[in-house]
Amino acid sequence: MAKQPMLKFVTVQRDMPEKRGPEVRREDFHEIYAEFADAKAAEQAARCSQCGVPYCQSHCPLHNNIPDWLRMTATGRLKEAYELSQETNTFPEICGRICPQDRLCEGNCVIEQSGHGTVTIGAVEKYITDTAFEEGWVEDIVPASERPESVGIIGAGPGGLAAADRLRRAGVQVTVYDRYDRSGGLMTYGIPGFKLEKDIVMRRNAQLEKGGVEFVLNCNVGEDITFQEIREKHDAVLLATGVYKTRDLGGPGSGSAGIVRAIDYLTASNRASFGDDVPEHADGSLWAEGKRVVVIGGGDTAMDCVRTAIRQGATSVKCLYRRDRANMPGSQREVANAEEEGVEFVWMAAPKGFKGDPVSGVVVQRMRLGQPDATGRRSPEPIEGEEYTEDADLVIKALGFEPEDLPTLWGEEELPVTRWGTVKADFRTGATDMDGVYAVGDIVRGASLVVWAIKDGRDAADAIIERFNAAAADIAAE
Ligand code: FAD
Ligand code: SF4
Ligand code: SF4
């Protein structure tokens, strides 16, 4: 019988690529995990038991063919692994880095369930495509033939770019409009380099540009061009504008200087990583060095803020969250990384007000957990009379994001939105009730994940191509 190359989970322990020590990684914005060495990637991929019904795959939003590319990696067929991996995922090397795998593929791996430690799916996925770039296997986007139809995409985040990639490969003329000066959306200006280095995103932007996608940057739709003008220019329009309205805090002193929004803080830091001039760093307003920093929130954005503040040289960094560790929305892996780097978490604590202007402290209300709410999470409730002041020179609000009011901003009352302000679109195709207008990613789902935006972008691109094909067939039949 041929030697069994897989099922090594009993003899081989789960092992992640080497993680840089906290003392070293606090000093820079580089990614904290190294790349797998070739032999290590093959060894780790070989731990997969090749399930007949792979739960990893069913819990991956893109339904990546995980067992097959793991087997190919384990048996040295890396180029085939790359080709298979990129069939279902537009940016596998990005998802491999930043998907919350513990909640998706890896969290549902049967080996994890049986107590052996999950297969390191994300790290292998990243390794496969990083290697493909190094080896020159990643080909330019060259459509077999050009099509006459054009699509205008508003928003150059993962949703818009995944759609642009798929449409362009099919020969469609694609123009992407974005109000920022670089494309990538939150992958460029939200997520810090220690999770996703910027050259990884820029490499994809360059590939799309070289493949014929036209980018119109520094173009704020609703100000520099109207939505209507974009509709008139193109045969279909895709909205992928994300969600950027910050949930705010009330309470006495909440308008004081030194209380800032997470998105502004992270954007400034990412701009500095590109070498841009950042006036808010020069004047200290979005800079943490020498300050006692308090971040309010328990999601991934809060984790990114606390770890950025550590790297900027804050004197102390505390994260206030109104529930406990078990009930926080952020990834446990990121909490552990933050703790290793020196962040202190203050659980069951909510801001009640602020002292000083500029801010000098947060009035903290102690909380306890009550009954589960509609989402199943236990609701925090204040403990009467238990409050104290947490000293702070910089307070960062990381309470989540909501959609901007697009119908009003764009003067498009017809644009169909839900009562939460997200754009109403078919979850399978992205089609809205406006003829030829599609929508994907966070602006449809509310704040979500890169992998879901990629899925939506790919699905909407397929639906748009189907629409064009049907229209072309109608013309041919006339
Ligand atoms: P976005 O990425 O937000 O892109 C939208 C684009 O539209 C932007 O470039 C914006 O400039 C542009 N735009 C908006 N309005 C206009 C307009 N009027 N005119 C022109 N352009 C416009 N997800 C993960 O999977 N893993 C993570 O680790 C992770 N970390 C995160 C950390 C932070 C700090 C944040 C904020 C989010 C994080 N997310 C993470 C979530 C993830 O980034 C988003 O779910 C994803 O980027 C959504 O993609 P999108 O294409 O819908 O929108
Ligand atoms: Fe896992 Fe995300 Fe990759 Fe899917 S895309 S296999 S969920 S890391
Ligand atoms: Fe392999 Fe785990 Fe997926 Fe099963 S669930 S196919 S063991 S990665």
Side-chain angles (χ1 to χ4, degrees), residues 192 194 246-247 249 258-266 285-288 291-312 314-323 328-330 334-335 338 341-354 359 361-364 388 390-401:
F194 48 81
T246 301
R247 286 201 192 112
L249 278 173
I259 304 176
V260 303
R261 302 189 318 158
I263 192 69
D264 298 334
Y265 179 67
L266 293 172
S285 57
L286 295 176
W287 181 246
K291 293 182 181 166
R292 296 161 301 178
V293 177
V294 170
V295 176
I296 299 169
D300 287 332
T301 303
M303 298 309 107
D304 290 350
C305 290
V306 289
R307 298 177 68 201
T308 297
I310 288 277
R311 282 159 177 77
Q312 289 182 352
T315 314
S316 65
V317 182
K318 294 190 179 178
C319 182
L320 296 190
Y321 182 55
R322 61 201 178 122
R323 293 182 165 97
M328 72 182 295
E334 295 305 305
V335 178
E341 289 165 11
V343 175
E344 189 187 320
F345 285 84
V346 186
W347 307 112
M348 319 278 270
K352 196 175 174 189
F354 301 89
V359 71
V362 182
V363 181
V364 178
Y388 72 100
E390 190 77 74
D391 292 339
D393 312 301
L394 178 66
V395 176
I396 304 172
K397 297 178 282 186
L399 298 145
F401 299 97

Coordinates of all heavy atoms in Angstrom, one line a residue, residues 192 194 246-247 249 258-266 285-288 291-312 314-323 328-330 334-335 338 341-354 359 361-364 388 390-401:
P192 N -3.9 47.4 10.8 CA -2.4 47.8 10.9 C -1.5 46.8 10.3 O -1.8 45.6 10.1 CB -2.2 47.8 12.5 CG -3.6 47.8 13.1 CD -4.5 47.1 12.1
F194 N 1.0 45.3 11.5 CA 1.5 44.1 12.2 C 0.5 42.9 12.0 O 0.8 41.8 12.4 CB 1.6 44.4 13.7 CG 0.5 45.1 14.4 CD1 -0.6 44.5 14.8 CD2 0.6 46.5 14.6 CE1 -1.7 45.1 15.5 CE2 -0.4 47.2 15.3 CZ -1.6 46.5 15.7
T246 N -18.7 56.4 13.0 CA -18.3 55.8 14.3 C -19.5 55.9 15.3 O -20.1 57.0 15.5 CB -17.1 56.6 14.8 OG1 -16.1 56.5 13.9 CG2 -16.7 56.1 16.2
R247 N -19.8 54.8 16.0 CA -20.7 54.9 17.1 C -20.1 55.8 18.2 O -18.9 55.6 18.5 CB -20.9 53.5 17.7 CG -21.8 52.7 16.8 CD -22.5 51.5 17.5 NE -23.0 50.7 16.5 CZ -22.6 49.4 16.2 NH1 -21.6 48.9 17.0 NH2 -23.1 48.7 15.2
L249 N -19.9 58.2 21.9 CA -20.1 58.1 23.4 C -20.7 59.4 23.9 O -20.3 60.4 23.4 CB -18.7 58.0 24.0 CG -18.0 56.7 24.1 CD1 -16.6 56.9 24.7 CD2 -18.8 55.7 25.0
G258 N -8.5 65.3 23.0 CA -7.8 64.1 23.5 C -8.7 62.9 23.4 O -8.3 61.8 23.8
I259 N -10.0 63.0 23.1 CA -10.9 61.9 22.9 C -11.1 61.7 21.4 O -11.6 62.6 20.7 CB -12.2 62.1 23.6 CG1 -12.0 62.4 25.1 CG2 -13.1 60.8 23.4 CD1 -13.3 62.7 25.9
V260 N -10.6 60.6 20.8 CA -10.5 60.6 19.3 C -11.2 59.3 18.8 O -11.4 58.3 19.6 CB -9.0 60.6 18.9 CG1 -8.4 61.9 19.3 CG2 -8.3 59.4 19.3
R261 N -11.5 59.3 17.5 CA -12.1 58.1 16.9 C -11.1 57.1 16.4 O -10.0 57.5 15.9 CB -12.9 58.6 15.6 CG -14.0 59.6 15.9 CD -14.8 59.9 14.7 NE -14.1 59.9 13.5 CZ -14.6 59.7 12.2 NH1 -15.9 59.4 12.1 NH2 -13.9 59.8 11.2
A262 N -11.4 55.8 16.6 CA -10.4 54.8 16.3 C -10.0 54.9 14.8 O -8.9 54.7 14.4 CB -11.1 53.4 16.5
I263 N -11.0 55.1 13.9 CA -10.7 55.1 12.5 C -9.7 56.2 12.1 O -8.7 56.0 11.3 CB -11.9 55.2 11.6 CG1 -11.6 54.9 10.1 CG2 -12.7 56.5 11.7 CD1 -11.3 53.5 9.9
D264 N -9.8 57.4 12.8 CA -8.8 58.5 12.5 C -7.5 58.1 13.1 O -6.4 58.3 12.4 CB -9.3 59.8 13.2 CG -10.6 60.2 12.7 OD1 -11.0 59.9 11.5 OD2 -11.4 60.9 13.4
Y265 N -7.5 57.5 14.2 CA -6.2 57.1 14.9 C -5.4 56.1 14.0 O -4.2 56.2 13.7 CB -6.5 56.5 16.3 CG -5.3 56.1 17.0 CD1 -4.3 57.0 17.4 CD2 -5.1 54.7 17.3 CE1 -3.2 56.6 18.1 CE2 -4.0 54.3 18.0 CZ -3.0 55.2 18.4 OH -1.9 54.8 19.1
L266 N -6.2 55.1 13.5 CA -5.6 54.0 12.8 C -5.2 54.5 11.4 O -4.1 54.1 10.8 CB -6.5 52.8 12.7 CG -6.8 52.0 14.0 CD1 -7.8 51.0 13.8 CD2 -5.5 51.4 14.5
S285 N -1.9 65.1 18.3 CA -3.3 64.8 18.5 C -3.7 63.3 18.3 O -4.6 62.8 19.0 CB -4.3 65.7 17.7 OG -4.0 65.5 16.4
L286 N -3.0 62.6 17.4 CA -3.3 61.2 17.2 C -2.0 60.4 17.4 O -1.8 59.4 16.7 CB -3.8 61.0 15.7 CG -5.2 61.6 15.4 CD1 -5.6 61.4 14.0 CD2 -6.3 61.1 16.3
W287 N -1.3 60.8 18.4 CA 0.0 60.1 18.6 C 0.1 59.8 20.1 O -0.2 60.6 21.0 CB 1.2 61.1 18.2 CG 2.5 60.6 18.4 CD1 3.5 61.0 19.3 CD2 3.2 59.5 17.7 NE1 4.6 60.3 19.2 CE2 4.5 59.4 18.2 CE3 2.8 58.6 16.7 CZ2 5.4 58.4 17.7 CZ3 3.7 57.7 16.2 CH2 5.0 57.6 16.7
A288 N 0.5 58.5 20.4 CA 0.4 58.0 21.8 C 1.7 58.1 22.6 O 1.6 57.8 23.9 CB -0.1 56.6 21.7
K291 N 2.1 58.8 26.5 CA 0.7 59.1 27.1 C 0.1 57.9 27.8 O 0.5 56.7 27.4 CB -0.2 59.5 25.9 CG 0.1 60.9 25.3 CD -0.8 61.3 24.3 CE -0.4 62.6 23.6 NZ -1.1 62.9 22.4
R292 N -0.8 58.1 28.7 CA -1.6 57.1 29.2 C -2.8 56.9 28.3 O -3.6 57.8 28.3 CB -2.0 57.4 30.7 CG -0.8 57.5 31.6 CD -1.2 58.3 32.9 NE -1.7 59.6 32.5 CZ -2.1 60.5 33.4 NH1 -2.1 60.2 34.7 NH2 -2.5 61.7 33.1
V293 N -2.9 55.8 27.7 CA -3.9 55.6 26.6 C -5.0 54.7 27.2 O -4.7 53.6 27.7 CB -3.3 55.0 25.3 CG1 -4.4 54.7 24.3 CG2 -2.2 55.9 24.8
V294 N -6.2 55.1 27.0 CA -7.4 54.2 27.3 C -8.2 54.0 26.0 O -8.6 55.0 25.3 CB -8.3 54.8 28.4 CG1 -9.6 54.0 28.5 CG2 -7.5 54.9 29.7
V295 N -8.4 52.8 25.6 CA -9.2 52.4 24.4 C -10.5 51.9 24.9 O -10.5 51.0 25.8 CB -8.4 51.4 23.5 CG1 -9.3 51.0 22.4 CG2 -7.1 52.0 23.1
I296 N -11.6 52.3 24.4 CA -12.9 51.9 24.8 C -13.5 51.0 23.7 O -13.7 51.4 22.6 CB -13.8 53.1 25.1 CG1 -13.2 53.9 26.2 CG2 -15.2 52.6 25.5 CD1 -13.8 55.2 26.5
G297 N -13.8 49.7 24.0 CA -14.4 48.8 23.1 C -13.7 47.4 23.2 O -12.6 47.3 23.8
G298 N -14.4 46.4 22.7 CA -13.9 45.0 22.8 C -13.8 44.3 21.5 O -13.7 43.0 21.5
G299 N -13.8 45.0 20.4 CA -13.8 44.3 19.1 C -12.4 44.3 18.5 O -11.4 44.8 19.2
D300 N -12.3 43.9 17.3 CA -11.0 43.9 16.6 C -10.4 45.2 16.4 O -9.2 45.4 16.4 CB -11.1 43.1 15.3 CG -11.3 41.6 15.5 OD1 -10.8 41.1 16.5 OD2 -11.9 41.0 14.7
T301 N -11.3 46.2 16.2 CA -10.7 47.6 16.0 C -10.1 48.1 17.3 O -9.0 48.7 17.3 CB -11.9 48.6 15.7 OG1 -12.5 48.1 14.5 CG2 -11.4 50.0 15.4
A302 N -10.7 47.8 18.5 CA -10.1 48.1 19.7 C -8.7 47.4 19.9 O -7.7 48.0 20.3 CB -11.0 47.8 20.9
M303 N -8.7 46.1 19.5 CA -7.4 45.4 19.6 C -6.3 46.1 18.8 O -5.1 46.2 19.1 CB -7.5 43.9 19.2 CG -8.5 43.1 20.0 SD -8.2 43.2 21.7 CE -9.6 44.2 22.2
D304 N -6.7 46.5 17.6 CA -5.7 47.2 16.7 C -5.3 48.5 17.3 O -4.1 48.9 17.1 CB -6.4 47.4 15.3 CG -6.6 46.1 14.6 OD1 -6.1 45.1 15.0 OD2 -7.2 46.1 13.5
C305 N -6.2 49.2 17.9 CA -5.8 50.5 18.6 C -4.8 50.3 19.7 O -3.8 51.0 19.8 CB -7.0 51.2 19.1 SG -8.1 51.9 17.7
V306 N -5.1 49.3 20.6 CA -4.2 49.2 21.8 C -2.8 48.8 21.3 O -1.8 49.2 21.9 CB -4.8 48.1 22.8 CG1 -6.0 48.7 23.5 CG2 -5.1 46.8 22.2
R307 N -2.8 47.9 20.3 CA -1.5 47.4 19.9 C -0.7 48.5 19.1 O 0.5 48.5 19.1 CB -1.6 46.1 19.1 CG -2.3 45.0 19.9 CD -2.5 43.7 19.2 NE -1.3 43.1 18.8 CZ -1.2 42.2 17.8 NH1 -2.3 41.9 17.0 NH2 -0.1 41.7 17.5
T308 N -1.4 49.4 18.4 CA -0.8 50.5 17.8 C -0.2 51.4 18.8 O 0.9 51.9 18.7 CB -1.8 51.2 16.8 OG1 -2.2 50.3 15.8 CG2 -1.2 52.4 16.2
A309 N -1.0 51.7 19.9 CA -0.5 52.6 20.9 C 0.7 52.1 21.6 O 1.7 52.9 21.9 CB -1.6 52.9 21.9
I310 N 0.8 50.8 21.8 CA 2.0 50.2 22.4 C 3.2 50.5 21.5 O 4.3 50.9 21.9 CB 1.8 48.6 22.5 CG1 0.8 48.3 23.6 CG2 3.2 47.9 22.7 CD1 1.4 48.3 25.0
R311 N 3.0 50.3 20.2 CA 4.1 50.5 19.2 C 4.5 52.0 19.1 O 5.6 52.3 18.7 CB 3.7 50.0 17.9 CG 3.9 48.4 17.8 CD 3.0 47.8 16.7 NE 3.2 46.4 16.7 CZ 2.7 45.5 17.5 NH1 1.9 45.9 18.5 NH2 2.9 44.2 17.4
Q312 N 3.6 52.9 19.4 CA 3.9 54.3 19.4 C 4.6 54.8 20.7 O 5.0 55.9 20.8 CB 2.7 55.2 19.2 CG 2.1 55.0 17.7 CD 0.9 55.9 17.5 OE1 0.3 56.5 18.4 NE2 0.5 55.9 16.2
A314 N 3.4 54.4 24.0 CA 2.5 54.9 25.1 C 3.1 54.5 26.5 O 3.8 53.4 26.6 CB 1.1 54.3 25.0
T315 N 2.9 55.3 27.5 CA 3.4 55.0 28.9 C 2.6 53.8 29.4 O 3.1 52.9 30.0 CB 3.1 56.2 29.8 OG1 3.6 57.3 29.2 CG2 3.8 56.0 31.1
S316 N 1.3 53.8 29.2 CA 0.4 52.6 29.6 C -0.7 52.5 28.6 O -1.1 53.6 28.0 CB -0.1 52.8 31.0 OG -1.0 53.9 31.0
V317 N -1.2 51.3 28.4 CA -2.3 51.2 27.5 C -3.4 50.2 28.2 O -3.1 49.1 28.5 CB -1.9 50.5 26.1 CG1 -3.2 50.4 25.2 CG2 -0.8 51.3 25.4
K318 N -4.6 50.8 28.3 CA -5.6 50.0 29.0 C -6.8 49.9 28.0 O -7.1 50.9 27.3 CB -6.1 50.6 30.3 CG -5.0 50.6 31.3 CD -5.5 51.0 32.7 CE -4.3 50.9 33.7 NZ -4.7 51.3 35.0
C319 N -7.5 48.8 28.0 CA -8.6 48.5 27.2 C -9.8 48.3 28.1 O -9.9 47.4 28.9 CB -8.4 47.3 26.3 SG -9.8 47.0 25.2
L320 N -10.8 49.2 28.0 CA -12.0 49.1 28.8 C -13.1 48.4 28.0 O -13.4 48.8 26.9 CB -12.6 50.5 29.2 CG -11.9 51.5 30.0 CD1 -12.8 52.6 30.4 CD2 -11.3 50.8 31.3
Y321 N -13.7 47.3 28.6 CA -14.8 46.6 27.9 C -15.9 46.3 28.9 O -15.6 45.9 30.1 CB -14.3 45.4 27.2 CG -15.4 44.7 26.5 CD1 -16.1 45.4 25.5 CD2 -15.7 43.4 26.7 CE1 -17.1 44.8 24.8 CE2 -16.7 42.7 26.1 CZ -17.5 43.5 25.1 OH -18.5 42.8 24.5
R322 N -17.1 46.5 28.5 CA -18.2 46.4 29.5 C -18.6 45.0 29.8 O -19.4 44.8 30.8 CB -19.4 47.3 29.0 CG -20.0 46.8 27.7 CD -20.8 47.9 27.0 NE -21.2 47.4 25.7 CZ -22.5 47.3 25.4 NH1 -23.4 47.7 26.2 NH2 -22.9 46.8 24.2
R323 N -18.2 44.0 29.0 CA -18.5 42.6 29.4 C -17.2 42.0 29.8 O -16.2 42.7 30.0 CB -19.1 41.9 28.2 CG -20.4 42.4 27.7 CD -20.9 41.5 26.6 NE -22.3 41.6 26.3 CZ -22.8 42.4 25.4 NH1 -22.0 43.2 24.6 NH2 -24.1 42.5 25.2
M328 N -16.6 39.0 24.8 CA -16.1 40.0 23.9 C -16.2 39.6 22.5 O -16.0 38.4 22.2 CB -14.7 40.5 24.3 CG -13.6 39.6 23.9 SD -12.1 40.2 24.5 CE -11.9 41.6 23.5
P329 N -16.4 40.6 21.6 CA -16.5 40.2 20.2 C -15.2 40.0 19.5 O -15.1 39.3 18.5 CB -17.3 41.4 19.5 CG -17.0 42.5 20.4 CD -16.8 42.0 21.8
G330 N -14.1 40.5 20.0 CA -12.8 40.4 19.3 C -12.3 39.0 19.4 O -12.7 38.2 20.2
E334 N -6.2 37.7 19.2 CA -5.7 39.1 19.2 C -5.6 39.6 20.6 O -4.7 40.4 20.9 CB -6.6 40.0 18.4 CG -6.6 39.7 16.9 CD -5.2 39.7 16.3 OE1 -4.5 40.7 16.4 OE2 -4.8 38.7 15.7
V335 N -6.5 39.2 21.5 CA -6.4 39.6 22.9 C -5.1 39.1 23.5 O -4.4 39.8 24.2 CB -7.6 39.1 23.7 CG1 -7.5 39.5 25.2 CG2 -8.9 39.6 23.1
A338 N -2.2 41.1 22.3 CA -2.2 42.4 23.0 C -1.7 42.2 24.4 O -0.8 43.0 24.8 CB -3.6 43.0 23.0
E341 N 2.0 41.9 24.5 CA 2.7 43.1 24.2 C 2.6 44.2 25.3 O 3.2 45.2 25.2 CB 2.1 43.7 22.9 CG 2.6 42.8 21.7 CD 1.8 43.1 20.4 OE1 1.1 44.1 20.3 OE2 1.9 42.2 19.5
G342 N 1.8 43.9 26.4 CA 1.8 44.8 27.5 C 0.5 45.6 27.7 O 0.4 46.5 28.5
V343 N -0.6 45.2 27.0 CA -1.9 45.9 27.2 C -2.6 45.3 28.4 O -2.6 44.1 28.6 CB -2.8 45.6 25.9 CG1 -4.2 46.2 26.1 CG2 -2.1 46.2 24.7
E344 N -3.2 46.2 29.1 CA -4.0 45.7 30.3 C -5.5 45.8 30.0 O -5.9 46.9 29.5 CB -3.7 46.6 31.5 CG -4.2 46.1 32.8 CD -4.0 47.1 33.9 OE1 -2.9 47.7 34.0 OE2 -5.0 47.2 34.7
F345 N -6.2 44.7 30.2 CA -7.6 44.7 29.9 C -8.4 45.0 31.2 O -8.1 44.4 32.2 CB -8.1 43.4 29.3 CG -7.7 43.3 27.9 CD1 -6.4 42.9 27.5 CD2 -8.5 43.7 26.9 CE1 -6.0 42.8 26.2 CE2 -8.2 43.6 25.5 CZ -6.9 43.2 25.2
V346 N -9.3 45.9 31.2 CA -10.2 46.2 32.3 C -11.6 45.7 31.9 O -12.3 46.4 31.2 CB -10.2 47.7 32.7 CG1 -11.0 47.9 34.0 CG2 -8.8 48.2 32.8
W347 N -11.9 44.5 32.4 CA -13.2 43.9 32.0 C -14.3 44.5 32.8 O -14.1 45.0 33.9 CB -13.2 42.4 32.2 CG -12.0 41.7 31.5 CD1 -10.9 41.1 32.1 CD2 -11.8 41.6 30.1 NE1 -10.1 40.6 31.2 CE2 -10.6 40.9 29.9 CE3 -12.5 42.0 29.0 CZ2 -10.1 40.6 28.7 CZ3 -12.0 41.6 27.7 CH2 -10.8 41.0 27.6
M348 N -15.6 44.4 32.3 CA -16.8 44.8 33.1 C -16.6 46.2 33.5 O -16.9 46.6 34.7 CB -17.0 43.9 34.3 CG -16.7 42.5 34.1 SD -18.1 41.7 33.3 CE -19.0 41.2 34.8
A349 N -16.2 47.1 32.6 CA -16.0 48.5 32.9 C -16.5 49.3 31.7 O -16.2 49.1 30.6 CB -14.5 48.7 33.1
A350 N -17.4 50.3 32.0 CA -17.9 51.2 30.9 C -17.7 52.6 31.3 O -17.7 53.0 32.4 CB -19.4 50.9 30.8
P351 N -17.4 53.4 30.2 CA -17.2 54.9 30.5 C -18.5 55.6 30.9 O -19.5 55.3 30.3 CB -16.6 55.4 29.2 CG -17.2 54.5 28.2 CD -17.4 53.1 28.8
K352 N -18.4 56.4 31.9 CA -19.6 57.1 32.4 C -19.4 58.6 32.1 O -20.4 59.3 32.0 CB -19.8 56.9 33.9 CG -21.1 57.2 34.4 CD -21.2 56.9 35.9 CE -22.6 57.4 36.4 NZ -22.6 57.2 37.8
G353 N -18.2 59.0 31.9 CA -17.9 60.4 31.7 C -16.4 60.6 31.6 O -15.7 59.7 31.7
F354 N -16.0 61.9 31.4 CA -14.6 62.2 31.2 C -14.2 63.4 32.0 O -15.0 64.3 32.2 CB -14.3 62.4 29.7 CG -14.7 61.2 28.9 CD1 -16.0 61.1 28.4 CD2 -13.8 60.2 28.6 CE1 -16.4 60.0 27.6 CE2 -14.2 59.1 27.9 CZ -15.4 59.0 27.4
V359 N -8.5 65.9 27.9 CA -9.0 64.8 28.8 C -7.8 64.4 29.8 O -6.6 64.4 29.4 CB -9.5 63.6 28.0 CG1 -8.3 62.9 27.3 CG2 -10.3 62.7 28.8
G361 N -8.9 62.0 32.4 CA -9.3 60.7 33.0 C -10.7 60.3 32.5 O -11.4 61.1 32.0
V362 N -10.9 59.0 32.6 CA -12.2 58.4 32.2 C -12.9 58.0 33.5 O -12.3 57.3 34.3 CB -12.0 57.2 31.3 CG1 -13.4 56.6 30.9 CG2 -11.1 57.5 30.1
V363 N -14.2 58.5 33.7 CA -14.9 58.0 34.9 C -15.5 56.6 34.5 O -16.3 56.5 33.5 CB -16.1 59.0 35.2 CG1 -16.9 58.5 36.4 CG2 -15.5 60.4 35.4
V364 N -15.1 55.6 35.2 CA -15.4 54.2 34.8 C -16.5 53.7 35.7 O -16.4 53.8 37.0 CB -14.2 53.3 34.9 CG1 -14.6 51.9 34.6 CG2 -13.1 53.8 34.0
Y388 N -15.0 54.7 39.4 CA -13.7 55.2 39.8 C -13.1 55.9 38.5 O -13.7 55.9 37.5 CB -12.7 54.1 40.2 CG -12.2 53.2 39.0 CD1 -11.0 53.4 38.4 CD2 -13.1 52.2 38.5 CE1 -10.6 52.7 37.4 CE2 -12.7 51.4 37.5 CZ -11.4 51.7 36.9 OH -11.0 50.9 35.8
E390 N -10.1 56.4 35.8 CA -8.9 55.8 35.2 C -8.2 57.0 34.5 O -8.7 57.7 33.6 CB -9.4 54.8 34.1 CG -8.4 54.0 33.5 CD -8.0 52.8 34.4 OE1 -8.7 51.9 34.6 OE2 -6.9 52.9 34.9
D391 N -6.9 57.2 34.9 CA -6.2 58.4 34.3 C -6.0 58.1 32.8 O -5.7 57.0 32.4 CB -4.8 58.5 35.0 CG -5.0 58.9 36.5 OD1 -6.0 59.5 36.8 OD2 -4.1 58.7 37.3
A392 N -6.0 59.2 32.1 CA -5.9 59.0 30.6 C -5.5 60.4 30.0 O -6.0 61.4 30.3 CB -7.1 58.5 30.0
D393 N -4.5 60.3 29.1 CA -4.2 61.5 28.3 C -4.7 61.4 26.8 O -4.8 62.4 26.1 CB -2.6 61.7 28.2 CG -2.0 61.6 29.5 OD1 -2.4 62.4 30.4 OD2 -1.2 60.7 29.7
L394 N -5.0 60.2 26.4 CA -5.5 59.9 25.1 C -6.6 58.8 25.2 O -6.3 57.8 25.8 CB -4.4 59.5 24.1 CG -4.9 59.2 22.7 CD1 -5.4 60.4 22.0 CD2 -3.7 58.6 21.9
V395 N -7.8 59.1 24.8 CA -8.9 58.2 24.8 C -9.3 57.9 23.4 O -9.6 58.8 22.6 CB -10.1 58.7 25.6 CG1 -11.3 57.7 25.6 CG2 -9.7 59.0 27.1
I396 N -9.3 56.6 23.1 CA -9.7 56.2 21.7 C -11.0 55.4 21.7 O -11.2 54.4 22.4 CB -8.6 55.3 21.1 CG1 -7.2 56.1 21.1 CG2 -8.9 55.0 19.6 CD1 -6.0 55.2 20.7
K397 N -12.0 56.0 21.0 CA -13.3 55.3 20.9 C -13.4 54.3 19.8 O -13.2 54.6 18.7 CB -14.4 56.4 20.6 CG -14.5 57.5 21.6 CD -15.5 58.6 21.2 CE -15.0 59.5 20.1 NZ -15.9 60.6 19.8
A398 N -13.5 53.0 20.2 CA -13.6 51.9 19.3 C -14.8 51.1 19.5 O -14.8 50.0 19.9 CB -12.3 51.1 19.4
L399 N -16.0 51.8 19.3 CA -17.3 51.2 19.6 C -18.0 50.6 18.4 O -19.2 50.3 18.5 CB -18.1 52.2 20.3 CG -17.5 52.8 21.6 CD1 -17.8 54.2 21.8 CD2 -18.0 52.0 22.8
G400 N -17.3 50.5 17.3 CA -18.0 50.0 16.1 C -18.4 51.1 15.1 O -18.3 52.3 15.4
F401 N -18.8 50.6 14.0 CA -19.1 51.5 12.9 C -20.5 51.2 12.3 O -21.0 50.1 12.4 CB -18.1 51.2 11.7 CG -16.7 51.5 12.1 CD1 -15.9 50.5 12.5 CD2 -16.2 52.8 12.1 CE1 -14.6 50.7 12.9 CE2 -14.9 53.0 12.5 CZ -14.1 52.0 12.9

